[in-house]
Amino acid sequence: MRLAEVLEMTGMGKTFIYARMKDGTFPKQIQLGSRSVVWNEQEVIKWMEDQMASR
């Protein structure tokens, strides 16, 4: 998934996503090329399910 899709799916902002990646609480991005990154959709879905379960 591209960043725009991650933002739309999670409802979170870019700053939130990158801060959570830095502290290890959000799935890391996967580097495809020098200027291209994606996220694994299943990892993002799992993160969302975990967030809902912990509430």
Side-chain angles (χ1 to χ4, degrees), residues 2 6 10 13 21 30-31 35 38 43 46 54:
R2 301 281 184 183
V6 173
T10 63
M21 282 179 15
I30 302 162
Q31 191 84 32
R35 298 180 62 195
V38 295
E43 290 178 6
K46 173 82 169 88
S54 69

Side-chain angles (χ1 to χ4, degrees), residues 32-45:
L32 292 182
S34 62
R35 298 180 62 195
S36 179
V37 295
V38 295
W39 281 260
N40 179 293
E41 183 175 9
Q42 293 305 314
E43 290 178 6
V44 174
I45 290 170

